[in-house]
Structure formats: C-alpha cells, structure tokens
Amino acid sequence: MVTTPPLAAEPAFEWRHGFESLGPEFHTPLAPTPLRDPYWVARSDAMARQLGLPAGAWQTPHLLEALAGNRVLPGSRPLASVYSGHQFGVWAGQLGDGRAHLLGEVRTPADDWLELQLKGSGLTPYSRMGDGRAVLRSSIREFLASEAMHALGIPTTRALCITGSDQPVRRETVETAAVVTRVAPTFIRFGHFEHFSANGQVDELRRLTDHVIDHFYPACRAAANPAAALLAAVTQRTAALMADWQAVGFMHGVMNTDNMSILGLTIDYGPFQFMDGFDPAHICNHSDHSGRYAYHRQPQIGYWNLFALAQALMPLIDDQQAALDALEPYKTLFPAALDQRMAAKLGLPQASDASRALVREVLELMARERTDWTIFWRRLSHHVGGAPADTVHDLFVDRAAIDRWLLQYQELLAQSDRALAAGLMLKTNPAIVLRNHMAEEVIARAKLKDFQPIQDLLALLETPFDEQPAHPRWADWTGFPPDWASHIQISCSS
Ligand code: AMP
Ligand code: MG
C-alpha cells in the first residue's frame, strides 16, 4: 500500500464568532486586502503552541497567505469593528478598525477561546484618512513588545507572527507593508462602549455590556447593578495594569480611550518605550507635545479613561453614586498595587511605611541623576544576592546619597531572609527589556531582509529574568543605551 505524506498542515481551527453575533451595528463584514508576494518576517512559536498550530504550520504556504490577508481561513469570518474614543483628552467621534480585521475566535488546546486579528490588513470603512496599512518598523515593535510584556507577566494582547511584503507604504518616507497577527480573548476597547453611548444606541450598549460580562466578567452578573459591577472590575484591572507599567518603566505613549482594553490588557503598541535613565516626566511619543501621556501621568490618565468609560455606561448604571462608587477604589487600589510591586523590586514580600520611604528616596535620587531604570534594579538584585555594593554605588554621582540609602536598605533587609529577597528580586527586576535602540537594530536588519535577529531578540525577551550571556548582543543590550538612542523619535505614524 502506498501511503501519501499528510498534506502540509492546514490549521484545523475550531471557530466561534461571538463578536460578530453582537449584530451588524458593531462591524462591517469584510475580507482583508491582499498583500503582494508575502513572506514570513517573524513568528512566535510559544503563541503558535498555545493556539495548537501543528509543528509544520510555518512551512505551509496556506498559513502565510491567510495571515497576510490573501486567503480567508476556512471557518473564519473577517470583519472590521466600529468604535469611537477620546484622543488626547478630546472627543474624537467615530474611529474603528481602520487597518485591522478580526478573523473570529479559535478554540485552543487548553479550551480557551482566543480572537485572531490581522493588523495592517487593508482599508476598511473606518480607515478615515489612512491607507489601511502598517509599516514593517512598527509591526516589529508591536510584535516584540507584545511577547516581551507577556513574558514580564504584564497583561497584554499577544502576537503570533508578522508577514511582510515589498509593497510600498508611504509615511514620512516610503517604507514597506507588514501585517501582525494579534491574539487576545477580545479586542473590545473602552471606545466600543463610548461609541454606542455617544450615539444613544442603548440597546447596542446593553448587548455589548452583556457580552463582555457573560464572557469575561461572569461574576458581575449576580450583582445588583451588573454594569456598575463591570465598571468596578475594569477599574481593578486597570489599576493593576498601571502599577505593572510604572514598576517596569513602561510608557504606552498613546493612552487614548480607544487604546484601552476592557480586559485591562496593554493594547495598541505605537510609540511605547521602556524607561532608560529615570525621568518621571519623560514623554515617549514625539507627537505628544503637552506630555499628556508622560510616564508620571499614566496612572492619572488611567483614571481619566475609566471616568470616560463610566460616563459611557451611565445609561445602564443609571445611578451616579453607583458609578462613582465603582471608580473610587482606583484611588487606593493603584497606590497599593504600586507599593506592592515596588516592595517586590526591593525583595520585600510586603510594602510597609519603611519600604515606601525607601522607594520614595531612591526614586528622588534616581530622578535627579537620571539613573538607568532597568540597570539599577537588576544590579541591586545582584547586590542583594552577593555582588559587591560598588556595582550599585558606581551608578551614582552622589555617592554619599546612595551609600546612605544602601545603609538604610540593608537595615530593612536584615529583618528578612536575604537569599529569599534576592530570589524575589531576580524574578521581579528583568535583566532585559525591549529598549528603542534594540528594536531599531533588528528593524535595520529586517529592512535588509535579515529576519533572524528578530527571532534571536525574541528568544531573549521571552525569558527576561534569565542571564543569557551567550547571545552576542547580551552585554550591549543589558548595558546602558548608546547615545544615539536618546535621539530616536517615535511618533504616532506607523
Ligand atoms: P492608533 O493611534 O494606532 O491607535 O490609531 C487610531 C485610529 O486610527 C484607529 O481607528 C486606527 O484604526 C486608525 N489608523 C491608524 N493608522 C491607520 C492607517 N494607516 N490606516 C487606516 N487607519 C489607521
Ligand atoms: Mg488604536
């Protein structure tokens, strides 16, 4: 008997279309625009495994064509969704997926349902002045950042892969097109709620709210006021997310309400940046002239955005006090979550008045000296683990100040187990984060069609708490950013 080899594996996803079933007011059914002669640029094997993709999937032209937008996967029903939002504090009206196509949800081997979405996949009715495309540069940044944040334990949308093409895309200069396949339980944003609320579509607002509660916040169903309970739950998640961002030194750059996930995920990576030298007022988005989204304003903006969500939900909450009661905990949840994370950065299982004072003092010193955020915390971790104090001390000009601080810190540490503290710190303070210059370096290689550096960097970012000196760029990428890094200008143009 002749046995034929199995056909190169077509991903046999089981599909569901929960978002589509909300009704035609929520979206426009629409296939992606084909991308000329696509090729693979980057892939996340970890994400592929989680989705249950067969091992050989990357080798199949089917998958490449499907994820470039040239072929609709059997069972998928692509659509672009409509939402609105506040941009830079101003009501912007209707926005929507201007360059993204939701393919539907697929069932994972762990029995979760995850939405697949293509970004950069062509014009939609919501493209406004845009061309529906994303450039290679910004796609690489989004892909790497999504997977890096996930590995840091920070809630985020994920990325499966990037497909690219030589098709030109005009920005400040002519670049080339790419499509990122993004993955999340849902891509619903605060802006979806704002959209139906602003248009007085209360039935749709209710349908959306019910959908989000039933699928993602089932405990809210039993509450006396489910919409208020949802607001309270989103408030909790957003407070936790803001604490995660602040503690790791992540700046989003465009915290418009249409870029706020209803699940409290980091979403829509644009001009984001990880802090280099600590400057609380740092603005990473070159287009953010007023510094609305500067590092130290992010927690406040998180609250502002929740307030916008509360206003959008008012027709359902129907009780101003209930809405205010749902938001109010942010003012204690966020500081408590941040205290907890900062205590962990110091190797302490719990925050205390003493840990808060230490954090305050060292942040003031770091801000004065623009001390590198990631390097300081990592070196401090190694010092607690036994490395000489010089490695920390040498980071500062004001040696007397850091020595005084280290002395106080030692006193506090003396009350706990030092090995445990070092262990906690080395799992809390990453050795490596995706700094702008690292992304720039692999982007420059990718523009020359050398995509391997993206995979090699991804491998480092997937285990950010491990020392990986065998990688040829390890010393540079875990060291101080080069001078040219401070001149990198990242704007909304992507
Ligand atoms: P962003 O700032 O990337 O979150 O995008 C804000 C809005 O502009 C969203 O509605 C996007 O879909 C849309 N948008 C951004 N870039 C493009 C583009 N090149 N083509 C079409 N729409 C875009
Ligand atoms: Mg966006």
Side-chain angles (χ1 to χ4, degrees), residues 83 87 95-100 119 123 126-134 171 189 254 256 258-259 268 492 494:
Y83 53 81
Q87 296 185 317
L95 302 165
D97 295 327
R99 49 173 172 168
K119 177 171 177 180
L123 289 170
Y126 317 112
S127 299
R128 298 175 297 144
M129 306 297 283
D131 58 4
R133 288 301 181 188
R171 293 291 179 266
R189 301 141 191 275
V254 205
N256 295 333
D258 53 304
N259 290 338
D268 280 11
C492 285
S494 61

PDB file of all heavy atoms in Angstrom, residues 83 87 95-100 119 123 126-134 171 189 254 256 258-259 268 492 494, ligand 1:
ATOM      1  N   TYR A  83     -15.673  51.587  16.619  1.00  0.00           N
ATOM      2  CA  TYR A  83     -15.604  52.143  17.976  1.00  0.00           C
ATOM      3  C   TYR A  83     -15.330  53.627  17.855  1.00  0.00           C
ATOM      4  O   TYR A  83     -15.093  54.136  16.749  1.00  0.00           O
ATOM      5  CB  TYR A  83     -14.551  51.422  18.831  1.00  0.00           C
ATOM      6  CG  TYR A  83     -13.148  51.324  18.252  1.00  0.00           C
ATOM      7  CD1 TYR A  83     -12.254  52.388  18.345  1.00  0.00           C
ATOM      8  CD2 TYR A  83     -12.700  50.156  17.628  1.00  0.00           C
ATOM      9  CE1 TYR A  83     -10.961  52.298  17.831  1.00  0.00           C
ATOM     10  CE2 TYR A  83     -11.412  50.055  17.109  1.00  0.00           C
ATOM     11  CZ  TYR A  83     -10.549  51.133  17.214  1.00  0.00           C
ATOM     12  OH  TYR A  83      -9.277  51.034  16.715  1.00  0.00           O
ATOM     13  N   GLN A  87      -9.306  61.124  22.051  1.00  0.00           N
ATOM     14  CA  GLN A  87      -7.886  61.145  21.713  1.00  0.00           C
ATOM     15  C   GLN A  87      -7.263  62.394  22.310  1.00  0.00           C
ATOM     16  O   GLN A  87      -7.760  63.504  22.076  1.00  0.00           O
ATOM     17  CB  GLN A  87      -7.700  61.121  20.194  1.00  0.00           C
ATOM     18  CG  GLN A  87      -8.220  59.821  19.572  1.00  0.00           C
ATOM     19  CD  GLN A  87      -7.933  59.717  18.083  1.00  0.00           C
ATOM     20  OE1 GLN A  87      -8.102  60.695  17.364  1.00  0.00           O
ATOM     21  NE2 GLN A  87      -7.521  58.547  17.630  1.00  0.00           N
ATOM     22  N   LEU A  95     -14.083  56.160  15.290  1.00  0.00           N
ATOM     23  CA  LEU A  95     -12.763  55.698  14.821  1.00  0.00           C
ATOM     24  C   LEU A  95     -13.001  54.312  14.214  1.00  0.00           C
ATOM     25  O   LEU A  95     -13.569  54.211  13.155  1.00  0.00           O
ATOM     26  CB  LEU A  95     -11.766  55.675  15.980  1.00  0.00           C
ATOM     27  CG  LEU A  95     -11.561  57.039  16.679  1.00  0.00           C
ATOM     28  CD1 LEU A  95     -10.873  56.876  18.024  1.00  0.00           C
ATOM     29  CD2 LEU A  95     -10.762  57.968  15.782  1.00  0.00           C
ATOM     30  N   GLY A  96     -12.608  53.272  14.915  1.00  0.00           N
ATOM     31  CA  GLY A  96     -12.870  51.913  14.426  1.00  0.00           C
ATOM     32  C   GLY A  96     -11.610  51.258  13.887  1.00  0.00           C
ATOM     33  O   GLY A  96     -10.548  51.879  13.821  1.00  0.00           O
ATOM     34  N   ASP A  97     -11.752  49.977  13.526  1.00  0.00           N
ATOM     35  CA  ASP A  97     -10.612  49.231  12.966  1.00  0.00           C
ATOM     36  C   ASP A  97     -10.312  49.785  11.577  1.00  0.00           C
ATOM     37  O   ASP A  97     -10.886  49.334  10.579  1.00  0.00           O
ATOM     38  CB  ASP A  97     -10.942  47.738  12.851  1.00  0.00           C
ATOM     39  CG  ASP A  97     -11.159  47.066  14.202  1.00  0.00           C
ATOM     40  OD1 ASP A  97     -10.496  47.477  15.178  1.00  0.00           O
ATOM     41  OD2 ASP A  97     -11.981  46.123  14.268  1.00  0.00           O
ATOM     42  N   GLY A  98      -9.405  50.723  11.515  1.00  0.00           N
ATOM     43  CA  GLY A  98      -9.094  51.358  10.233  1.00  0.00           C
ATOM     44  C   GLY A  98      -8.105  50.569   9.405  1.00  0.00           C
ATOM     45  O   GLY A  98      -7.911  50.840   8.212  1.00  0.00           O
ATOM     46  N   ARG A  99      -7.470  49.615  10.064  1.00  0.00           N
ATOM     47  CA  ARG A  99      -6.492  48.797   9.332  1.00  0.00           C
ATOM     48  C   ARG A  99      -6.368  47.429   9.974  1.00  0.00           C
ATOM     49  O   ARG A  99      -5.292  46.818   9.953  1.00  0.00           O
ATOM     50  CB  ARG A  99      -5.136  49.489   9.304  1.00  0.00           C
ATOM     51  CG  ARG A  99      -4.662  49.977  10.673  1.00  0.00           C
ATOM     52  CD  ARG A  99      -3.264  50.482  10.578  1.00  0.00           C
ATOM     53  NE  ARG A  99      -2.849  51.128  11.818  1.00  0.00           N
ATOM     54  CZ  ARG A  99      -1.607  51.464  12.083  1.00  0.00           C
ATOM     55  NH1 ARG A  99      -0.669  51.184  11.194  1.00  0.00           N
ATOM     56  NH2 ARG A  99      -1.294  52.053  13.196  1.00  0.00           N
ATOM     57  N   ALA A 100      -7.460  46.966  10.574  1.00  0.00           N
ATOM     58  CA  ALA A 100      -7.428  45.660  11.237  1.00  0.00           C
ATOM     59  C   ALA A 100      -8.657  44.857  10.844  1.00  0.00           C
ATOM     60  O   ALA A 100      -9.724  45.420  10.577  1.00  0.00           O
ATOM     61  CB  ALA A 100      -7.378  45.831  12.751  1.00  0.00           C
ATOM     62  N   LYS A 119      -3.520  43.019  11.745  1.00  0.00           N
ATOM     63  CA  LYS A 119      -3.352  44.471  11.808  1.00  0.00           C
ATOM     64  C   LYS A 119      -2.434  44.912  10.673  1.00  0.00           C
ATOM     65  O   LYS A 119      -1.333  44.384  10.533  1.00  0.00           O
ATOM     66  CB  LYS A 119      -2.745  44.886  13.156  1.00  0.00           C
ATOM     67  CG  LYS A 119      -2.471  46.385  13.257  1.00  0.00           C
ATOM     68  CD  LYS A 119      -2.074  46.775  14.664  1.00  0.00           C
ATOM     69  CE  LYS A 119      -1.718  48.261  14.754  1.00  0.00           C
ATOM     70  NZ  LYS A 119      -1.327  48.623  16.120  1.00  0.00           N
ATOM     71  N   LEU A 123      -7.682  48.592   3.787  1.00  0.00           N
ATOM     72  CA  LEU A 123      -8.713  49.597   4.043  1.00  0.00           C
ATOM     73  C   LEU A 123      -9.994  48.974   4.573  1.00  0.00           C
ATOM     74  O   LEU A 123     -10.352  47.846   4.219  1.00  0.00           O
ATOM     75  CB  LEU A 123      -9.029  50.355   2.751  1.00  0.00           C
ATOM     76  CG  LEU A 123      -7.949  51.319   2.250  1.00  0.00           C
ATOM     77  CD1 LEU A 123      -8.291  51.819   0.849  1.00  0.00           C
ATOM     78  CD2 LEU A 123      -7.779  52.489   3.214  1.00  0.00           C
ATOM     79  N   TYR A 126     -13.610  52.249   8.190  1.00  0.00           N
ATOM     80  CA  TYR A 126     -13.190  53.099   9.315  1.00  0.00           C
ATOM     81  C   TYR A 126     -11.767  53.630   9.130  1.00  0.00           C
ATOM     82  O   TYR A 126     -11.135  54.080  10.084  1.00  0.00           O
ATOM     83  CB  TYR A 126     -13.301  52.298  10.630  1.00  0.00           C
ATOM     84  CG  TYR A 126     -14.583  51.493  10.673  1.00  0.00           C
ATOM     85  CD1 TYR A 126     -14.553  50.105  10.617  1.00  0.00           C
ATOM     86  CD2 TYR A 126     -15.819  52.140  10.706  1.00  0.00           C
ATOM     87  CE1 TYR A 126     -15.738  49.362  10.607  1.00  0.00           C
ATOM     88  CE2 TYR A 126     -16.999  51.406  10.690  1.00  0.00           C
ATOM     89  CZ  TYR A 126     -16.951  50.020  10.645  1.00  0.00           C
ATOM     90  OH  TYR A 126     -18.105  49.296  10.624  1.00  0.00           O
ATOM     91  N   SER A 127     -11.256  53.559   7.900  1.00  0.00           N
ATOM     92  CA  SER A 127      -9.864  53.963   7.667  1.00  0.00           C
ATOM     93  C   SER A 127      -9.692  55.472   7.689  1.00  0.00           C
ATOM     94  O   SER A 127      -8.565  55.960   7.806  1.00  0.00           O
ATOM     95  CB  SER A 127      -9.371  53.411   6.327  1.00  0.00           C
ATOM     96  OG  SER A 127      -9.406  52.007   6.329  1.00  0.00           O
ATOM     97  N   ARG A 128     -10.784  56.227   7.563  1.00  0.00           N
ATOM     98  CA  ARG A 128     -10.705  57.695   7.508  1.00  0.00           C
ATOM     99  C   ARG A 128      -9.621  58.114   6.510  1.00  0.00           C
ATOM    100  O   ARG A 128      -9.656  57.700   5.374  1.00  0.00           O
ATOM    101  CB  ARG A 128     -10.484  58.254   8.918  1.00  0.00           C
ATOM    102  CG  ARG A 128     -11.669  57.905   9.858  1.00  0.00           C
ATOM    103  CD  ARG A 128     -11.448  58.332  11.272  1.00  0.00           C
ATOM    104  NE  ARG A 128     -10.306  57.637  11.845  1.00  0.00           N
ATOM    105  CZ  ARG A 128      -9.439  58.154  12.701  1.00  0.00           C
ATOM    106  NH1 ARG A 128      -9.589  59.397  13.116  1.00  0.00           N
ATOM    107  NH2 ARG A 128      -8.431  57.448  13.160  1.00  0.00           N
ATOM    108  N   MET A 129      -8.617  58.871   6.954  1.00  0.00           N
ATOM    109  CA  MET A 129      -7.607  59.363   6.010  1.00  0.00           C
ATOM    110  C   MET A 129      -6.473  58.351   5.794  1.00  0.00           C
ATOM    111  O   MET A 129      -5.580  58.590   4.986  1.00  0.00           O
ATOM    112  CB  MET A 129      -6.992  60.683   6.522  1.00  0.00           C
ATOM    113  CG  MET A 129      -8.000  61.767   6.851  1.00  0.00           C
ATOM    114  SD  MET A 129      -8.901  62.274   5.390  1.00  0.00           S
ATOM    115  CE  MET A 129      -7.651  63.292   4.606  1.00  0.00           C
ATOM    116  N   GLY A 130      -6.505  57.244   6.516  1.00  0.00           N
ATOM    117  CA  GLY A 130      -5.383  56.298   6.488  1.00  0.00           C
ATOM    118  C   GLY A 130      -5.417  55.385   5.270  1.00  0.00           C
ATOM    119  O   GLY A 130      -6.391  55.345   4.519  1.00  0.00           O
ATOM    120  N   ASP A 131      -4.342  54.648   5.089  1.00  0.00           N
ATOM    121  CA  ASP A 131      -4.220  53.754   3.926  1.00  0.00           C
ATOM    122  C   ASP A 131      -4.482  52.297   4.288  1.00  0.00           C
ATOM    123  O   ASP A 131      -4.330  51.410   3.447  1.00  0.00           O
ATOM    124  CB  ASP A 131      -2.823  53.899   3.307  1.00  0.00           C
ATOM    125  CG  ASP A 131      -1.714  53.588   4.304  1.00  0.00           C
ATOM    126  OD1 ASP A 131      -2.033  53.182   5.447  1.00  0.00           O
ATOM    127  OD2 ASP A 131      -0.535  53.747   3.948  1.00  0.00           O
ATOM    128  N   GLY A 132      -4.828  52.043   5.548  1.00  0.00           N
ATOM    129  CA  GLY A 132      -5.158  50.673   5.947  1.00  0.00           C
ATOM    130  C   GLY A 132      -3.943  49.788   6.187  1.00  0.00           C
ATOM    131  O   GLY A 132      -4.082  48.613   6.483  1.00  0.00           O
ATOM    132  N   ARG A 133      -2.771  50.366   6.059  1.00  0.00           N
ATOM    133  CA  ARG A 133      -1.558  49.544   6.176  1.00  0.00           C
ATOM    134  C   ARG A 133      -0.752  49.885   7.428  1.00  0.00           C
ATOM    135  O   ARG A 133      -0.949  50.928   8.045  1.00  0.00           O
ATOM    136  CB  ARG A 133      -0.674  49.753   4.933  1.00  0.00           C
ATOM    137  CG  ARG A 133      -1.242  49.117   3.664  1.00  0.00           C
ATOM    138  CD  ARG A 133      -1.422  47.617   3.832  1.00  0.00           C
ATOM    139  NE  ARG A 133      -1.950  46.977   2.627  1.00  0.00           N
ATOM    140  CZ  ARG A 133      -2.326  45.702   2.587  1.00  0.00           C
ATOM    141  NH1 ARG A 133      -2.262  44.936   3.661  1.00  0.00           N
ATOM    142  NH2 ARG A 133      -2.801  45.186   1.480  1.00  0.00           N
ATOM    143  N   ALA A 134       0.146  48.986   7.774  1.00  0.00           N
ATOM    144  CA  ALA A 134       1.116  49.212   8.846  1.00  0.00           C
ATOM    145  C   ALA A 134       2.495  48.973   8.245  1.00  0.00           C
ATOM    146  O   ALA A 134       2.646  48.113   7.359  1.00  0.00           O
ATOM    147  CB  ALA A 134       0.883  48.246  10.002  1.00  0.00           C
ATOM    148  N   ARG A 171       4.954  56.859   4.365  1.00  0.00           N
ATOM    149  CA  ARG A 171       4.859  57.577   5.631  1.00  0.00           C
ATOM    150  C   ARG A 171       5.702  58.844   5.451  1.00  0.00           C
ATOM    151  O   ARG A 171       5.571  59.498   4.429  1.00  0.00           O
ATOM    152  CB  ARG A 171       5.362  56.706   6.796  1.00  0.00           C
ATOM    153  CG  ARG A 171       4.458  55.498   7.063  1.00  0.00           C
ATOM    154  CD  ARG A 171       3.078  55.888   7.629  1.00  0.00           C
ATOM    155  NE  ARG A 171       2.215  54.720   7.864  1.00  0.00           N
ATOM    156  CZ  ARG A 171       1.317  54.245   7.011  1.00  0.00           C
ATOM    157  NH1 ARG A 171       1.156  54.825   5.830  1.00  0.00           N
ATOM    158  NH2 ARG A 171       0.572  53.206   7.312  1.00  0.00           N
ATOM    159  N   ARG A 189     -12.589  47.576  23.338  1.00  0.00           N
ATOM    160  CA  ARG A 189     -11.935  48.728  23.976  1.00  0.00           C
ATOM    161  C   ARG A 189     -12.964  49.577  24.720  1.00  0.00           C
ATOM    162  O   ARG A 189     -14.172  49.470  24.447  1.00  0.00           O
ATOM    163  CB  ARG A 189     -11.308  49.610  22.869  1.00  0.00           C
ATOM    164  CG  ARG A 189     -10.292  48.868  22.038  1.00  0.00           C
ATOM    165  CD  ARG A 189     -10.379  49.261  20.557  1.00  0.00           C
ATOM    166  NE  ARG A 189      -9.581  48.345  19.738  1.00  0.00           N
ATOM    167  CZ  ARG A 189      -8.281  48.483  19.523  1.00  0.00           C
ATOM    168  NH1 ARG A 189      -7.657  49.529  20.007  1.00  0.00           N
ATOM    169  NH2 ARG A 189      -7.619  47.594  18.825  1.00  0.00           N
ATOM    170  N   VAL A 254       0.271  56.466  23.905  1.00  0.00           N
ATOM    171  CA  VAL A 254      -0.986  56.939  23.294  1.00  0.00           C
ATOM    172  C   VAL A 254      -2.171  56.351  24.063  1.00  0.00           C
ATOM    173  O   VAL A 254      -2.946  55.552  23.530  1.00  0.00           O
ATOM    174  CB  VAL A 254      -1.146  56.541  21.812  1.00  0.00           C
ATOM    175  CG1 VAL A 254      -2.077  57.534  21.105  1.00  0.00           C
ATOM    176  CG2 VAL A 254       0.180  56.486  21.085  1.00  0.00           C
ATOM    177  N   ASN A 256      -5.120  56.877  24.587  1.00  0.00           N
ATOM    178  CA  ASN A 256      -6.464  57.325  24.225  1.00  0.00           C
ATOM    179  C   ASN A 256      -7.467  56.250  24.635  1.00  0.00           C
ATOM    180  O   ASN A 256      -7.089  55.076  24.776  1.00  0.00           O
ATOM    181  CB  ASN A 256      -6.519  57.586  22.714  1.00  0.00           C
ATOM    182  CG  ASN A 256      -5.616  58.745  22.314  1.00  0.00           C
ATOM    183  OD1 ASN A 256      -5.348  59.634  23.125  1.00  0.00           O
ATOM    184  ND2 ASN A 256      -5.162  58.739  21.073  1.00  0.00           N
ATOM    185  N   ASP A 258      -9.638  54.759  23.038  1.00  0.00           N
ATOM    186  CA  ASP A 258      -9.769  53.684  22.044  1.00  0.00           C
ATOM    187  C   ASP A 258      -8.582  52.728  22.126  1.00  0.00           C
ATOM    188  O   ASP A 258      -8.593  51.683  21.469  1.00  0.00           O
ATOM    189  CB  ASP A 258      -9.898  54.253  20.625  1.00  0.00           C
ATOM    190  CG  ASP A 258      -8.780  55.228  20.287  1.00  0.00           C
ATOM    191  OD1 ASP A 258      -8.605  56.205  21.032  1.00  0.00           O
ATOM    192  OD2 ASP A 258      -8.063  55.003  19.291  1.00  0.00           O
ATOM    193  N   ASN A 259      -7.571  53.062  22.923  1.00  0.00           N
ATOM    194  CA  ASN A 259      -6.430  52.171  23.115  1.00  0.00           C
ATOM    195  C   ASN A 259      -6.431  51.564  24.515  1.00  0.00           C
ATOM    196  O   ASN A 259      -5.387  51.169  25.024  1.00  0.00           O
ATOM    197  CB  ASN A 259      -5.117  52.929  22.871  1.00  0.00           C
ATOM    198  CG  ASN A 259      -4.927  53.285  21.407  1.00  0.00           C
ATOM    199  OD1 ASN A 259      -5.523  52.666  20.527  1.00  0.00           O
ATOM    200  ND2 ASN A 259      -4.103  54.284  21.136  1.00  0.00           N
ATOM    201  N   ASP A 268      -2.406  48.005  21.514  1.00  0.00           N
ATOM    202  CA  ASP A 268      -2.025  49.003  20.507  1.00  0.00           C
ATOM    203  C   ASP A 268      -0.677  49.655  20.802  1.00  0.00           C
ATOM    204  O   ASP A 268      -0.580  50.817  21.194  1.00  0.00           O
ATOM    205  CB  ASP A 268      -3.119  50.079  20.345  1.00  0.00           C
ATOM    206  CG  ASP A 268      -4.263  49.586  19.476  1.00  0.00           C
ATOM    207  OD1 ASP A 268      -4.304  48.370  19.193  1.00  0.00           O
ATOM    208  OD2 ASP A 268      -5.109  50.395  19.094  1.00  0.00           O
ATOM    209  N   CYS A 492       3.280  58.868  16.336  1.00  0.00           N
ATOM    210  CA  CYS A 492       2.103  58.032  16.090  1.00  0.00           C
ATOM    211  C   CYS A 492       2.139  57.416  14.691  1.00  0.00           C
ATOM    212  O   CYS A 492       1.406  56.485  14.402  1.00  0.00           O
ATOM    213  CB  CYS A 492       0.818  58.842  16.248  1.00  0.00           C
ATOM    214  SG  CYS A 492       0.415  59.176  17.965  1.00  0.00           S
ATOM    215  N   SER A 494       2.626  55.139  11.951  1.00  0.00           N
ATOM    216  CA  SER A 494       3.047  53.742  11.964  1.00  0.00           C
ATOM    217  C   SER A 494       2.335  52.950  10.874  1.00  0.00           C
ATOM    218  O   SER A 494       2.357  51.775  10.857  1.00  0.00           O
ATOM    219  CB  SER A 494       2.768  53.133  13.330  1.00  0.00           C
ATOM    220  OG  SER A 494       1.396  53.172  13.595  1.00  0.00           O
TER     221      SER A 494
HETATM  222  P1  AMP B   1      -3.823  54.273  16.783  1.00  0.00           P
HETATM  223  O1  AMP B   1      -3.327  55.607  17.214  1.00  0.00           O
HETATM  224  O2  AMP B   1      -2.826  53.452  16.020  1.00  0.00           O
HETATM  225  O3  AMP B   1      -4.421  53.508  17.918  1.00  0.00           O
HETATM  226  O4  AMP B   1      -4.991  54.552  15.719  1.00  0.00           O
HETATM  227  C1  AMP B   1      -6.068  55.428  15.926  1.00  0.00           C
HETATM  228  C2  AMP B   1      -7.101  55.214  14.866  1.00  0.00           C
HETATM  229  O5  AMP B   1      -6.554  55.474  13.570  1.00  0.00           O
HETATM  230  C3  AMP B   1      -7.669  53.815  14.798  1.00  0.00           C
HETATM  231  O6  AMP B   1      -9.016  53.920  14.434  1.00  0.00           O
HETATM  232  C4  AMP B   1      -6.840  53.171  13.714  1.00  0.00           C
HETATM  233  O7  AMP B   1      -7.506  52.098  13.095  1.00  0.00           O
HETATM  234  C5  AMP B   1      -6.669  54.324  12.754  1.00  0.00           C
HETATM  235  N1  AMP B   1      -5.466  54.194  11.930  1.00  0.00           N
HETATM  236  C6  AMP B   1      -4.172  54.325  12.324  1.00  0.00           C
HETATM  237  N2  AMP B   1      -3.336  54.156  11.279  1.00  0.00           N
HETATM  238  C7  AMP B   1      -4.101  53.884  10.198  1.00  0.00           C
HETATM  239  C8  AMP B   1      -3.837  53.609   8.820  1.00  0.00           C
HETATM  240  N3  AMP B   1      -2.605  53.585   8.332  1.00  0.00           N
HETATM  241  N4  AMP B   1      -4.888  53.372   8.018  1.00  0.00           N
HETATM  242  C9  AMP B   1      -6.143  53.408   8.485  1.00  0.00           C
HETATM  243  N5  AMP B   1      -6.465  53.662   9.757  1.00  0.00           N
HETATM  244  C10 AMP B   1      -5.460  53.908  10.611  1.00  0.00           C
END
